Amino acid sequence: MDTPISEPAPPRVAPVAGDGVSPPVVPDSVPVLTTLPGSAPLSLILGGFLALLLSAWAGIVPFIGPSFGFSADGTASWTWNLVHALGAVVPGAVGLLACLGIVVTARRLTGTLDARRLVGAGFLTFLCGAWFASVPVVWPVLVGSYFHAASPSLTLDYWMGLAIGPGVLLAAFGAFAMGRAGRESHENS
């Protein structure tokens, strides 16, 4: 008695582009990325660390920048004045602490993220970014000049390295952290 031997099925051949037939979507073949239980959100940790470094840069660059030719107001290295204090040190220190708060909050287990802390730290980071971006515009109106006269390319460097660049990036990360907090509170409810 002969038993039929099943032959292996022929391999599936994907349709060639342009033949008008789209390949079938098999639900089991679509990769799904899931967060492992107990893992921390890497985007918040990495972004928080990078924003922390950016806050430190923006807070310290008026003091160390003149040593390598990057002095937006024409002062020497380690010159303490009101422009440096209110335009860089205060928002840099607050941004540094807020980003540290985001990193510490994000290192908790995913299901236990405290949305209120994340929103608070994200909002502070957003405000620091707005502060960095707006001080060069507001300072001349209230007190006096913020940047000294320089070539157009050097003025652009000052705006991008001291004000708008760090400001926009910090504000964007603060908004991202607040959005992530809303997502976490929605998933945990």
Side-chain angles (χ1 to χ4, degrees), residues 57 61 68-72 147 150-166:
W57 160 260
V61 74
F68 54 87
F70 194 70
S71 176
F147 295 138
S151 69
S153 62
L154 198 53
T155 302
L156 178 65
D157 287 347
Y158 295 152
W159 276 96
M160 298 313 278
L162 293 172
I164 300 249

Side-chain angles (χ1 to χ4, degrees), residues 83-100:
V83 174
H84 293 170
L86 296 179
V89 173
V90 172
V94 172
L96 195 124
L97 292 174
C99 292
L100 188 62

Side-chain angles (χ1 to χ4, degrees), residues 160-188:
M160 298 313 278
L162 293 172
I164 300 249
V168 168
L169 291 173
L170 284 173
F173 180 71
F176 169 73
M178 288 188 288
R180 181 62 190 246
R183 178 178 162 198
E184 288 296 323
S185 65
H186 177 68
E187 287 177 358
N188 292 336

